[in-house]
Each structure stands twice: as C-alpha cells, then as structure tokens.
C-alpha cells in the first residue's frame, strides 16, 4: 500500500492523471489569449490605434467589421476555454471517484487479509468510520491532487507574465510579498496539521467508545452508570471541541494574513506605479491594466492557498488511515485470489512438524508439536482447559499461523495453499457461530461460495450493461467478478445431475437436528404464490384435506372456518368486517376507525351508531374492572382494550357523554376505535348479537363491492378457493380460526395440520419455505442452539475432506450432544474429523485421542489404550 | 354465554362470594372459558398445579390412584371449584379430574390469580376468612371423631 497520497494517485491512475495535466496545460494559452483579445478589442478596434482597413489572413476588414471579427474570436475563445475546462472537470471528477472507490476497496480487502488475532486489538467502531467517513473527502481531493496546483499555478504564472510584459517593475511589485507569504503560511500551517492529527485520533477514540457503549449498554443500564458514561462522553467531546476550535482559529488566521498581504499590493501599485506615471515612465492606461490584472491574481492565489490547506488535511487523513491497515503478518494477497479450474482434494495426511504458537513474543500456547493424522481418521483433541487442544485445532483450520514449524496436508504446505482450496476442502465450526443476515438457505450454502460457478443468464441488452458495469469495476482496480452470478458450487456438496438442491439441504437439516425447527418456521412463513404456484396449489390441497377431516364433529369444534356468509366468533370484528388480511398500513386494525373508506361503509349500512355504542360499553367495562389497577400493570398489556395511559381519558370521556346522543366527533372517533379488536368468543362481553352480526356481514359485502381500485392492493380477501399471499402457510391451510375455549385446541390443530401435510407429502415443501426464513442480524431471530446447529450444517454441506469441530456442541444438553455427535460422525465416515472435546468421556467415539497438556502433546492413542493408570488421560477422566 | 353469567358462577363459589362485583368481573375477564369433551382429562394426579377450574356447565369425576387402579372419590357439578388447593399452595395435583359430560369451565390461571391477590389485599382477606372457616369445620369434625373414638 502506498504510504503517500501522491504516490497512490500516480500508481493507480498514471494515464488519467497525465491526460488531465496535459489538457490543463493546454487550456493555459487559451486563458492567456482571453486576457489578450479584450485588450486588442479595446485598443485596436474601439480606440482605433491601428490603420483601417486592415488585413487578416488575406481578407481586408473595416473598423466595425474588425470589431465584430475580434468579438466573434473572443466568443470562440470563451466557448473553447469553458468547454475544455468543463471536460477537464468531468475527467477529474471521474478520476477522483474511481480513486476513492479503489482506496476503499483496498482498505476493505486488507481487512479481509488481517491476521485473525489482530481483530482482538482493533474494533469495528474504529475501522468502519475510517473506510466510510474518513476517506470520503479524499475522493474530491485526489481528482484534483495534481491538476489543481497546475491549473491555478499556471493561471497565476500567465497573469504574472502578462504583468511583466506590461512593465517589469509592476510585475515585481505584484509578486513582491509572495516570499513573505511563502515563509509565513507553512509555518502557521504546521501547527494546524498537528491539530488535524489529534482531531482524527480523538474522533476515532470517540467512535470506538460509542461502539463499546452500545455493545455494553446492558451493563450501563443494570449498573445505573449512565451518568458516568455521559461525563466520559462530555469530556471527549470537550477535547474535540478544543481541537476543532483551535484549528478554526488558526485557519482563519492564515486566511486573514493572506488577505491582508494581498490588500497591500495595490498600495505598492499606487505608490510605485503612481510615482512612475508622474515621472512619465509608465502610462496611466498600463497602470489601470496592471491593477485589473492584479485583481485577477487574487482568485488563483486564494485557490492555491486553499489547495495547500486541503492537501495538508488530506495527507494527514490518508496517512493516518493507511497506517491502521498495515498490521504485521497480513495474509498474502495471492492466497485469496479465486483459483480457476478444478480444486485439488485435501485427502492426504495432516502432518505437523515442530509447530509452536507464541503470541506477542512471550505467551506460549503451543510448543514443538509433531504429529500426524491419517486421511479418514476420526481424532479427538482433549486436555485440560488452556492446555492447547483448541489452538492445535485452530492452527490446522488456518485461524492462526504457527510461529515456528510446518503444517502440511498431503505433503503440501498449508500456509501457501490458496484459501479457495482450503475453504472448500476443509471446514471449521467454533464454539460460537456467526450467521449472516440472510435466509437459512443462504447461511447453509455460505460455505460453497468460493468463486462464481455459473454465469447468470441475461438477455443481450442486460448482458452488455452488466459487462460495462464490471469493466468499470476493473478500471477502479476492484475485483471484476459478478456478484449476481451463481456462486454456489453444488457439485462440491455432492449434488447429482437432475437432483434438487433442496433435498441435500433437507438431509443436512436432519443430520443437525433442525428439521422440525425449519418446518415450524416454514408453517409460519409466507410465499409469493406467483413465484411459487406449486407450493400455493399444494397448500390449497392441504386446505381441502383439512376441511374434509372437519366433518368429524369432534374436530369441527376446534376450528371455525372462514365463511363468506357467516360471522366468525373467533375472529376480531375487524377481520369479520374486512374479511381479509390487510397489506400495508391502509387497513391496519389500530387505525381502522380513522380510515375514511371504512367509515363510509359503516355509514352506508348504518353500523356506525351501533359500533359507537359497543365502544362505549367496552370502555365502561374496561374502566370498571381496570380502574383500580396501578398504571403500567401487566394486565393492561395482556387484557385491556385501553392502555393504562388512556384509561383516565376514557373515564372522563364516559362521564362527558353519559346518556347523551350528541357527542363530539373526537369522542365518537375514540369510542369507535375500540370494538374492532373485539373477539366475541374470547372476550365474552355479549355485545355482538345476531342482528348486529347480520349487519356486519352486510358491511362486509359493501366493503368489498365498493372498494376502489386504488385500495385493492391494500387487502387480500379470504377466498375459499384461492391462496392468500399476505397470510402464513398455516393460516392458509387453516382458513379459519382456532376456537377459543376448546381444551388444548392449539396443540390438537397443530397435530392435525402436520397429519394433513404428511398425508399429502408436503413436508418438504413446507421446509423449503422455512429455508427462506430471514435469520436476522447475526442470526438474532434464531435461538443460540439453532444458530449453532445451522453453522454445523453449513460446515457439513460442503462435504469437505477435513472437518475441524471446536467444542461446537458443548453447549447442548447431554442427550442432544450425543445424538448430534453420532449423526455428524456417521455423515463424515471416510473423511478426516478433528474434534476438540471439553468432556474426555465423549472421546470414546473416536479412532484416536490426542491429549494436550501445557501446550505439548502428552499422549496419543486409542481410547481404551489410554485408559491405564498413570496416564494424563486417566487423570483427565477422573477430574471430569 | 357472556361474562355476566361467569360472574354469577364465581359469586356462588364460597371462596369468591364476598368479593365486590368489579373484582369478580376482572377475575372472569382475565380467566379463560374452556370446554372439555366427555372423558377428556382436566389434569392428572401428580401434575404440577397451574390453574383452578370453576364448573359452569356439566359434570366431572374426581379419581384417586390406588394400587388397585383409579378409584372414583367424588362427582362435581355446576358452580363448584376444582383444584383451588393447587393455586393456593405449591403442591402437585392430589387427584385426577375427568369430564363426565360436556364440561364448560372457567379456568383461573395460578399466576394471574396471585397477581390479583397482590393487587387487591381484600381478596386475600376474603380467602383467609374462607380458609379459616374451612379449618374451623375440619377441627370440629376432628373433635367429633376423637370424642367418638373408643378410649
């Protein structure tokens, strides 16, 4: 990585920079002419200082024609100079943006090559703002880095030359104070630079502390230490304030000095120039021209000064960012480049020769390990905690680099193997797994994404566009592989031609004991019936099969099916009215009473008054039974239609409207909002009689018939014969509500649905929907156990030759752990397995046991052989 | 089938008889109406006690496990409370209860019940009174049994 900003620019964009510079230089003569031509227009054409008619390129011109000829030339010049400038600006913009892209790419790709132990020293809170915010202003600067001083310096030079041509003394006067400025300004700037460095460091520490506080916010709240944290932040912000304000003051001092000195120059003109004019050595016109030209000088001079300050700023930013991205022991870049062609297998023996792992020069984790693991062998690594069993496994998984010694697989050096190869042919699962914020399927397949395997198919137009897109990536020095291609190498997972990948995933799920979880998730998932008409159709078949079973009177009482002409006592009043699932916020139950269309429908069938009356009854009941509870009591959340905050308001509202028919629209609105969540069978308030039900059904018809086309997308109606895209699979199969008040109804209905799906052979279809479940950030929507199982599944799916498992099942209870181990070891028959075990008894399942004590290999042998008196292994078992 | 009817049922249970109507309504509203089919088991002997039931409609049988198999010890009808001991003190179910006919009950969840008691001490006082009354009755029975027994 280039440690200097200029070198970075020149290394990655030499040609573009040269083109920008050349074009910039080419514009300077045009600029000179644009100073020269107006002078000629004035002197020659307007004042008539030459003889007319005059000849230009063999054509003779009168005075007026000559004036217009010069003006036309001046116009061309302005267009030419402006056009060239615009073109150069575009080039510079592109250059800057590309370089910024390149810089960010370089930084991120360096993070991917950091030695893994380095991540214990740096935090995401420091790295993220460096890549995102800190380098952002460099983009604009890098485009200008070389062209800007050229163009402004060149412009200045042109003006100075022009002045010297007018009169050397005037020229000298114009630049007479530059040496002073050139001496003073860098001196002042030096302190600003130092402060700039301090500012970067302080801001970085601040973002690190913010990250830390967010990560530890539970502790802050639990210990009530928010005030201490605030004081700490206030202190840090104070430091940043002091630095920033001092920078501001010093920068403005530089500007002031510069302006002041510039103002002095006209003084010199007036005194020296005036003297010369009085002496007759200079014409008054020339002095006036010199004054005008000098005014033009101040703009490029100011630009140059700005550039200088910006350069110092950018240089510091660049250097301070770069130094954070050059830790010792970074992985060689070539080892991460995707390998072409078939990948070799790692089916040779693993050999460690005199391997040591020493951290920070003194902590010896492992010393002088020498052992061999045969291909296909199942080996357990055991030993006391801190004995090195986990480090030995992590060395083999390439998570650490040995400080000394050599690790080979099949004779090939592990450290010089491309990561593409070891990434696909070796898997590792640690004690805490990380999941990516994607679907279960994506997470399972993550281990198969080493390189693109099949290009994505596109039509010719899209393909051209995409190629241009990738070409731009290449121009900015980015990896030009297409993220939209198919990267999942199913053949590595052992997929046969014509086989469905889902089958493989289902097998893996069952090995890691996740089938039931994913199945349940699938039942609660939704699908787009247009994208998956097959699943939608099957769900409708399941719905029909369930309906058929409901002829059994015992089951019939468990579910109340949706019927277009019947009121469903187990559904809310809102569901009965809408007879569908709201999509988006338009018909959200909480705001139904404010929806103008719903209000119109209620008015049309004359329901409004009844619902207001029901609302009043509901409010009265709630006030009666909840009034004595303290505010915020959990009963409000669980049972009440009115929150504890709103209860007093309803209390006064009820007193206000007591016995009156005329109430304010606001009061009516509040009461009207209450009945929509009423579930007749659950709340048992006896407020919805048959006559009212009939009118709600009438409103249901009107709601549907009158629904404007624009609102059609805001609701998915319950249709007995079609799939409801807004509802879950389970709700689609159920097509009704589980009855309240039937003992164990939910469990019995759950079993019923499972039966129906199994009968129709739809288990896999549901699992497929479950595979598309989004696991949340870091897998937060799954339980810890599910995350762990999923990460084991991810390691097993790629059928690697070597599997390293580091206490990945230790958190499960004994029975689950035993079941998982047996399943995994069976699935890995014939492949090398290294399993770090917390509990030595579990080692019984393995061909060989390696015992690590104090960073050394103490014993190696079969489980039975090692269980002799006096061995370290026997001691371990006794201690367990 | 409205909440009013449940309030009436609660009022006829001695344990709750003296509570004011608003509290009975709260108890009814936060409880669950649960229907059991004939022969469906409400709970088994030895289960942890998680709720009490008040019979609104139908009849239930109380069975106790003996070495000779289950023995029916009682039949329960309308407006009787079942399993109240389990929600008052932490003991496993002392008997099995099975619905004899279609049985409609009001299920009072143990945790909910305790939260109510916490909130409204007068409920606790009423329950204490009722329990003391029961203890009194048991003592009386014991005295009679002892005096009748041969010396």
């Amino acid at each position: 990585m280039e440690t200097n900003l200029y070198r970075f620019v020149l290394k990655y964009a030499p040609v573009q920079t040269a083109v920008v510079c050349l074009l910039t230089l080419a514009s300077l003569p045009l600029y000179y002419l644009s100073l020269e031509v107006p002078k000629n227009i004035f002197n020659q054409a307007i004042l008539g200082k030459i003889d007319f008619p005059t000849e230009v390129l063999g054509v003779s011109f009168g005075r007026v024609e000559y004036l217009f000829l010069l003006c036309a030339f001046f116009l061309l010049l302005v267009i030419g100079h402006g056009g060239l400038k615009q073109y150069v600006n575009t080039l510079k913009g592109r250059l800057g943006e590309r370089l910024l892209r390149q810089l960010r790419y370089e930084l991120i790709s360096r993070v991917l090559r950091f030695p893994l132990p380095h991540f214990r020293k740096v935090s995401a809170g420091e790295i993220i703002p460096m890549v995102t915010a800190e380098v952002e202003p460099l983009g604009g600067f890098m485009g200008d880095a070389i062209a800007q001083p050229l163009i402004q310096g060149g412009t200045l030079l042109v003006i100075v030359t022009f002045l010297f041509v007018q009169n050397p003394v005037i020229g000298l006067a114009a630049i007479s104070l530059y040496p002073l400025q050139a001496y003073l300004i860098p001196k002042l700037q030096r302190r600003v630079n130092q402060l700039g460095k301090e500012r970067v460091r302080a801001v970085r520490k601040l973002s690190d502390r913010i990250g830390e506080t967010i990560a530890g916010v539970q502790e802050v709240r639990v210990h009530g230490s928010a005030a201490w944290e605030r004081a700490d932040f206030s202190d840090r912000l104070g430091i940043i304030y002091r630095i920033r304000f001092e920078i501001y003051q010093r920068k403005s001092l530089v500007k002031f000095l510069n302006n002041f000195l510039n103002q002095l120059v006209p003084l010199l003109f007036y005194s020296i120039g005036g003297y010369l004019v009085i002496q007759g050595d200079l014409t008054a016109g020339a002095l006036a021209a010199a004054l005008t030209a000098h005014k033009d000088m101040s703009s490029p001079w100011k630009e140059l000064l700005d550039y200088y300050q910006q350069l110092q700023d950018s240089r510091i930013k660049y250097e301070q960012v770069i130094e954070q991205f050059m830790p010792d022991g970074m992985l060689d870049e070539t080892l991460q480049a995707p390998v072409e062609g078939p990948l070799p297998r790692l089916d040779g023996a693993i050999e460690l020769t005199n391997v040591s792992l020493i951290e920070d020069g003194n902590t010896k984790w492992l010393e002088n390990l020498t052992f061999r693991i045969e291909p296909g062998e199942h080996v357990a690594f055991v030993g006391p905690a801190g004995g090195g069993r986990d480090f030995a496994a992590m060395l083999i998984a390439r998570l650490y680099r040995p400080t000394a010694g050599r690790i080979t697989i099949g004779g090939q050096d592990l450290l010089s193997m491309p990561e593409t190869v070891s990434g696909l042919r070796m898997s590792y699962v640690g004690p805490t797994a990380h999941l990516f914020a994607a679907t279960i399927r994506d997470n399972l397949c993550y281990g198969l994404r080493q390189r693109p395997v099949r290009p994505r198919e596109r039509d010719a137009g899209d393909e051209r566009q995409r190629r241009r897109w990738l070409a731009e990536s290449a121009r900015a020095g980015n990896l030009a592989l297409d993220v939209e291609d198919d990267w999942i190498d199913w053949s590595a997972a052992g997929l046969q031609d014509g086989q469905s990948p889902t089958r493989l995933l289902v097998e893996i799920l069952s090995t890691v004991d996740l089938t039931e979880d994913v199945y349940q998730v699938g039942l609660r998932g939704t699908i787009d019936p247009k994208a998956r008409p097959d699943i939608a159709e099957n769900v409708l078949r399941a719905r029909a099969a369930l309906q058929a079973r409901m002829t059994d009177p015992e089951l019939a009482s468990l579910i109340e099916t949706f019927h277009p002409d019947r009121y469903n006592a187990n559904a809310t009043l809102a569901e009965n009215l809408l007879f569908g699932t709201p999509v988006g916020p338009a018909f959200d139950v909480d705001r139904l009473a404010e929806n103008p269309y719903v209000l119109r429908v209620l008015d049309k069938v004359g329901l409004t008054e009844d619902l207001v009356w029901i609302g009043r009854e509901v409010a009265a009941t709630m006030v009666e039974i909840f009034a004595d509870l303290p505010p915020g009591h959990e009963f409000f959340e669980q049972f009440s239609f009115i929150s504890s905050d709103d209860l007093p308001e309803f209390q006064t509202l009820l007193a206000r409207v007591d016995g009156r028919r005329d109430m304010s629209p606001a009061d009516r609105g509040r009461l009207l909002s209450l009945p929509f969540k009423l579930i007749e069978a659950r709340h048992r308030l006896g407020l919805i009689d048959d006559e009212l039900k009939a009118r709600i059904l009438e409103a249901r018809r009107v709601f549907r018939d009158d629904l404007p086309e624009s609102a059609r997308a805001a609701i998915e109606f319950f249709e007995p014969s079609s799939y409801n895209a807004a509802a879950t699979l389970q709700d689609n199969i159920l097509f009704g509500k589980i009855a309240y008040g039937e003992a164990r109804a939910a469990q019995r209905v759950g079993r019923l649905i499972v039966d129906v799906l199994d009968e129709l052979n739809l288990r896999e279809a549901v699992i497929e929907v479950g595979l598309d479940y989004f696991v949340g950030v870091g897998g937060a929507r799954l339980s810890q156990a599910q995350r762990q199982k999923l990460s084991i599944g991810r390691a097993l799916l790629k059928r690697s030759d070597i599997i390293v498992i580091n206490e990945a099942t230790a958190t499960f209870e004994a029975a689950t752990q035993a079941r998982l181990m047996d399943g995994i070891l069976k699935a890995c028959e014939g492949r090398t397995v290294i399993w770090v075990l917390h509990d030595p008894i579990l080692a019984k399942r393995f061909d060989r046991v390696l015992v690590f004590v104090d960073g050394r290999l103490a014993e190696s042998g079969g489980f039975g052989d090692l269980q002799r008196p006096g061995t370290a292994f026997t001691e371990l078992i006794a201690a367990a | 089938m409205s909440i009013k009817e449940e309030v009436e049922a609660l009022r006829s249970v001695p344990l709750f008889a003296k509570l004011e109507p608003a509290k009975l309504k709260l108890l009814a509203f936060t409880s669950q109406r649960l229907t059991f089919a004939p022969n469906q088991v409400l709970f088994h002997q030895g289960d942890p006690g998680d709720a009490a039931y008040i019979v609104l409609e139908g009849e239930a049988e109380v069975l106790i496990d003996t070495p000779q198999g289950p023995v029916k010890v009682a039949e329960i009808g309308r407006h009787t409370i079942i399993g109240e001991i389990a929600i008052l003190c932490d003991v496993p179910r002392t008997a099995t209860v099975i619905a004899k006919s279609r049985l409609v009950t009001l299920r009072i969840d143990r945790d909910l019940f305790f939260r109510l008691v916490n909130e409204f001490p007068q409920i606790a006082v009423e329950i204490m009174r009722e329990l003391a009354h029961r203890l009194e009755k048991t003592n009386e029975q014991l005295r009679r049994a002892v005096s009748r027994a041969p010396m």
Side-chain angles (χ1 to χ4, degrees):
Chain A
M1 186 102 205
E2 300 303 324
T3 49
N4 177 294
L5 184 59
Y6 275 119
R7 251 181 271 153
F8 177 81
V9 173
L10 286 176
K11 178 173 172 191
Y12 289 107
V15 179
Q16 283 159 301
T17 309
V19 169
V20 169
C21 290
L22 280 177
L23 288 176
T24 304
L25 290 176
S27 73
L28 289 177
L30 291 181
Y31 182 63
Y32 187 88
L33 281 176
S34 70
L35 291 176
E36 186 69 23
V37 172
K39 193 183 90 185
N40 288 345
I41 291 176
F42 199 73
N43 284 343
Q44 297 174 353
I46 298 175
L47 295 179
K49 288 207 176 144
I50 52 167
D51 297 328
F52 288 98
T54 180
E55 278 206 0
V56 176
L57 298 173
V59 185
S60 130
F61 283 92
R63 193 162 157 190
V64 174
E65 288 85 6
Y66 187 67
L67 172 71
F68 285 122
L69 175 74
L70 284 183
C71 284
F73 183 60
F74 186 61
L75 179 67
L76 277 180
L77 212 57
V78 168
I79 293 173
H81 185 231
L84 192 62
K85 218 170 162 177
Q86 167 64 15
Y87 181 63
V88 171
N89 278 341
T90 309
L91 284 185
K92 280 196 300 195
R94 189 158 63 193
L95 176 64
E97 295 308 323
R98 259 185 207 153
L99 283 168
L100 178 63
R101 181 177 176 178
Q102 166 105 41
L103 178 61
R104 283 194 168 138
Y105 175 82
E106 179 75 18
L107 295 179
I108 296 166
S109 84
R110 279 177 165 260
V111 171
L112 293 175
R113 296 195 282 123
F114 277 4
L116 293 173
H118 187 65
F119 286 101
R120 276 183 277 164
K121 294 177 205 148
V122 295
S123 69
E126 283 177 285
I127 291 184
I128 295 166
M130 283 193 251
V131 179
T132 52
E134 283 187 31
V135 298
E136 178 90 29
L138 293 184
F141 180 76
M142 284 189 294
D144 263 347
I146 290 169
Q148 179 76 354
L150 267 183
I151 190 158
Q152 300 304 344
T155 309
L156 200 63
L157 203 68
V158 168
I159 296 172
V160 171
T161 314
F162 180 78
L163 285 177
F164 267 101
V165 170
Q166 305 312 309
N167 185 307
V169 181
I170 287 289
L172 263 173
I175 60 166
S176 59
L177 289 176
Y178 282 1
L180 184 65
Q181 282 165 305
Y183 170 75
L184 268 181
I185 288 167
K187 236 183 146 76
L188 289 169
Q189 183 67 32
R190 209 166 302 141
R191 177 66 191 141
V192 176
N193 290 354
Q194 262 172 9
L195 288 167
K197 277 186 189 169
E198 274 176 46
R199 183 186 60 189
V200 170
R201 273 198 295 271
V203 170
R204 232 177 246 172
K205 272 192 198 139
L206 177 73
S207 66
D208 192 28
R209 274 290 290 148
I210 294 175
E212 202 191 7
T213 309
I214 289 171
V217 72
Q218 270 193 11
E219 305 305 315
V220 175
R221 298 286 281 271
V222 161
H223 295 292
S225 54
W228 190 85
E229 294 289 337
R230 287 208 174 91
D232 182 58
F233 277 119
S234 163
D235 191 53
R236 285 170 194 279
L237 292 174
I239 294 171
I240 294 173
Y241 162 81
R242 180 185 57 76
I243 299 172
R244 286 188 64 96
F245 187 54
E246 200 178 335
I247 290 178
Y248 174 82
Q249 277 177 306
R250 284 179 183 273
K251 272 191 173 171
S252 76
L253 178 68
V254 171
K255 288 225 162 101
F256 162 76
L257 257 180
N258 188 49
N259 280 340
F260 176 72
L261 291 176
N262 276 348
Q263 302 285 318
L264 287 183
V265 175
L267 192 70
L268 292 174
F269 279 171
Y270 289 127
S271 51
I272 299 173
Y275 176 77
L276 289 175
V277 171
I278 292 168
Q279 291 300 312
D281 292 342
L282 189 71
T283 64
L287 180 61
L291 272 170
T292 322
H294 178 259
K295 217 180 250 163
D296 284 345
M297 272 172 78
S298 74
S299 148
W301 179 250
K302 229 179 92 200
E303 294 278 344
L304 267 182
L305 185 80
D306 278 347
Y307 170 81
Y308 173 70
Q309 290 192 324
Q310 222 187 352
L311 167 70
Q312 300 303 323
D313 243 18
S314 304
R315 196 174 54 80
I316 291 165
K317 275 196 186 120
Y318 180 83
E319 283 162 17
Q320 278 194 317
V321 167
I322 289 304
E323 68 188 20
Q324 296 300 316
F325 288 80
M326 299 198 286
D328 289 334
M330 277 217 311
L331 192 74
D332 191 345
E333 205 174 346
T334 54
L335 292 184
Q336 277 190 341
V339 176
E340 305 254 331
L343 298 180
R345 301 215 68 104
L346 291 184
D347 46 8
I350 304 170
E351 279 181 282
L352 276 75
T353 319
N354 300 325
V355 168
S356 296
L357 179 66
I358 300 165
E359 213 175 356
D360 294 333
N362 49 21
T363 320
K364 287 184 184 163
W365 295 116
L366 294 172
E367 262 190 286
N368 244 345
L369 287 184
T370 300
F371 60 84
R372 181 183 160 97
I373 295 170
E374 297 301 330
E377 209 179 1
H378 290 187
V379 182
F381 282 13
V382 299
R389 55 178 194 220
D390 44 352
F391 282 110
M394 286 192 275
L395 274 180
I396 295 172
R398 293 184 89 172
L399 292 176
Y400 280 87
R401 285 169 71 94
T403 322
R406 203 171 129 83
I407 305 176
T408 59
I409 298 176
Q412 207 195 332
D413 184 32
L414 182 66
L415 291 184
S416 57
M417 196 179 290
E419 278 199 348
T420 315
V421 176
S422 58
L424 187 65
R425 299 300 186 208
M426 181 152 67
S427 32
Y428 171 87
V429 198
T432 49
H434 179 81
L435 295 187
F436 292 91
T439 62
I440 293 179
R441 184 195 305 270
D442 289 336
N443 271 294
L444 274 174
C445 297
Y446 191 81
L448 299 171
R449 287 179 191 277
Q450 281 77 23
R451 48 188 188 166
V453 281
R454 261 177 311 280
R456 183 186 162 122
E457 278 171 34
R458 296 191 181 84
D459 63 44
D462 288 347
E463 179 65 36
R464 260 198 309 281
Q465 217 172 4
R466 195 67 195 169
R467 264 208 297 270
R468 272 203 297 276
W469 179 257
L470 292 176
E472 178 56 42
S473 302
R475 255 179 250 125
N478 288 200
L479 186 67
L481 294 180
D482 193 347
V483 75
E484 287 184 2
D485 282 350
D486 188 359
W487 284 64
I488 299 174
D489 187 356
W490 284 109
S491 69
L495 189 77
Q496 310 291 321
D497 282 338
Q499 205 182 2
S500 105
T502 307
R503 248 301 1 120
L504 277 182
L505 297 179
V506 169
E507 267 170 41
I508 291 291
L509 288 178
S510 106
T511 309
V512 296
D513 213 12
L514 263 181
T515 318
E516 189 54 32
D517 302 61
V518 177
Y519 180 74
Q520 289 302 331
V521 160
L523 277 179
R524 281 178 276 127
T526 56
I527 56 159
D528 175 7
K530 285 190 199 78
R532 295 305 303 262
D534 51 330
I535 295 182
E537 196 184 312
N538 279 329
V539 167
L540 290 178
R541 276 170 52 216
R543 181 189 290 179
L546 187 70
Q547 295 295 325
R549 288 204 181 195
M550 300 264 291
T551 47
D552 179 349
E554 202 177 309
L555 298 179
S557 63
L558 295 180
I559 305 172
E560 190 178 359
T561 307
F562 291 129
H563 192 290
D565 302 321
R566 265 185 236 145
Y567 190 90
N568 190 321
N570 286 290
T572 62
L573 196 153
E575 282 170 310
N576 270 294
L577 176 66
L578 303 179
F579 203 60
T581 318
V583 180
F587 293 118
D588 184 47
V589 182
D590 286 325
R591 331 223 66 170
L592 222 47
E594 296 158 31
N595 184 302
Y597 176 67
V598 171
L599 293 178
R600 231 171 24 244
V601 170
L602 293 179
D603 277 340
K604 189 164 170 183
V605 295
L607 253 180
T608 319
E609 279 316 309
D610 297 272
L611 291 187
V612 171
W613 178 79
I614 292 178
R616 197 196 290 197
E617 289 295 305
V618 169
T621 309
M622 293 303 127
V623 167
E624 181 190 358
I625 64 181
F626 287 107
D628 290 347
L629 284 172
H633 194 279
E634 53 201 307
F635 277 7
F636 283 105
E637 178 115 344
Q638 262 176 296
F639 298 105
S640 180
F641 282 73
I642 300 172
S643 74
S644 60
D645 295 342
D646 293 345
L647 203 68
E649 206 177 313
F650 274 97
Q651 225 159 352
T652 53
L653 190 155
L654 283 173
R656 194 161 59 231
V657 303
D658 188 31
R660 287 171 53 182
R661 290 219 69 85
D662 55 326
M663 46 180 106
S664 72
D667 288 351
R668 289 169 63 89
R670 301 224 63 170
L671 292 179
L672 193 59
S673 70
L674 293 176
F676 287 111
K677 282 189 190 162
L678 203 57
I679 300 171
E680 177 65 359
R682 179 183 164 198
H683 297 114
R684 316 183 301 271
L685 292 177
L687 293 173
I688 304 175
D689 58 15
D690 288 344
E691 193 268 334
L692 190 71
K693 285 178 186 172
R695 268 185 305 138
I696 293 172
L697 292 179
E698 171 64 18
R700 177 191 292 181
R701 270 185 295 279
V702 173
F703 178 87
R704 183 159 188 171
D705 292 345
D706 291 1
L707 189 67
E709 197 53 41
S710 58
R712 186 62 198 83
I715 185 158
E716 276 273 341
F717 286 113
F718 299 140
E719 296 268 13
S721 58
S722 63
Y723 189 89
N724 182 336
T728 64
L729 286 193
Q730 177 159 324
D731 285 346
N732 264 292
I733 297 169
L734 209 55
F735 196 64
K737 289 282 174 178
I738 297 177
Y740 283 96
E742 291 296 324
R744 286 180 271 283
Q747 293 94 311
R748 284 155 75 196
V749 169
R751 252 198 324 273
L752 199 60
I753 289 176
V754 169
D755 280 355
V756 165
L757 288 172
D758 281 354
E759 210 169 85
L760 291 171
N761 246 333
L762 291 179
R763 212 174 158 70
E764 206 158 296
V766 175
I767 291 178
E768 214 179 327
V769 176
L771 283 170
D772 286 327
Y773 179 73
F774 181 73
V775 303
V777 176
R781 295 175 71 195
L782 298 181
S783 73
Q784 160 71 26
Q786 286 171 331
R787 287 200 289 271
Q788 196 60 22
K789 288 175 178 175
L790 196 55
S791 72
I792 298 173
R794 170 168 65 193
L796 292 180
L797 180 66
K798 58 184 175 182
R799 291 182 184 239
S800 48
D801 302 308
I802 300 167
I803 298 137
V804 183
I805 299 180
N806 182 3
E807 296 190 30
T809 57
T811 51
F812 298 121
E813 40 91 23
T816 312
Q817 165 152 247
R819 200 169 58 240
L820 272 175
M821 283 185 84
D822 289 336
I824 294 166
L825 287 174
K826 190 162 171 285
C828 296
E829 239 160 72
R831 297 186 270 154
T832 313
V833 177
I834 294 167
W835 203 313
V836 181
L837 291 173
H838 166 75
D839 180 0
I841 294 287
L842 295 169
K844 209 182 291 180
R845 295 175 170 79
F846 293 81
D847 301 332
R848 194 152 60 98
V849 183
L850 300 191
V851 186
F852 293 88
V853 181
D854 293 335
R856 292 168 185 278
L857 179 61
E859 284 151 18
S860 156
F863 184 83
D865 301 338
L866 288 179
Q867 256 187 328
R868 298 176 265 111
T871 60
F873 188 62
T874 309
E875 236 173 81
L876 261 183
I877 288 190
Chain B
M1 68 153 198
S2 111
I3 202 159
K4 293 194 185 92
E5 174 188 324
E6 293 161 11
V7 170
E8 281 316 305
L10 283 171
R11 203 195 300 282
S12 57
V13 174
L15 202 57
F16 303 124
K18 298 220 175 68
L19 289 181
E20 49 178 303
K23 298 290 165 293
L24 286 179
K25 223 175 194 175
L26 178 60
L27 186 59
F29 191 69
T30 53
S31 299
Q32 195 187 0
R33 187 192 279 248
L34 210 50
T35 308
F36 293 87
N39 292 327
Q40 207 177 354
V41 177
L42 274 70
F43 50 79
H44 288 282
Q45 186 174 336
D47 283 353
D50 55 350
Y53 299 82
I54 289 159
V55 178
L56 299 176
E57 267 171 50
E59 278 156 3
E61 287 180 347
V62 181
L63 307 172
I64 287 181
D65 290 338
T66 64
Q68 286 77 40
V71 172
K72 180 168 132 186
V73 292
E75 247 181 55
I76 290 172
R78 199 157 172 260
H79 293 189
T80 322
I81 186 162
I82 313 172
E84 76 277 24
I85 302 296
I87 62 169
L88 289 174
C89 56
D90 212 354
V91 289
R93 300 290 191 192
T94 51
T96 301
V97 176
I98 295 179
K100 198 179 168 198
S101 57
R102 199 178 103 89
L103 185 73
V104 183
T105 63
L106 192 64
R107 182 181 184 277
I108 302 175
D109 187 83
R110 182 192 141 102
D111 294 343
L112 278 177
F113 180 73
F114 266 111
R115 267 175 276 167
L116 271 181
V117 172
N118 271 337
E119 241 23 274
F120 305 111
Q122 67 266 40
I123 299 185
V125 172
E126 284 309 322
I127 289 167
M128 253 192 314
R129 214 193 294 275
E130 167 63 18
L131 289 178
H133 189 62
R134 278 192 199 175
L135 184 64
E136 219 304 287
K137 226 162 74 184
T138 316
N139 282 346
E140 175 67 17
Q141 284 169 340
L142 186 66
R143 255 199 310 279
R144 246 180 284 150
V146 169
S147 64
R148 239 184 288 137
M151 285 293 161

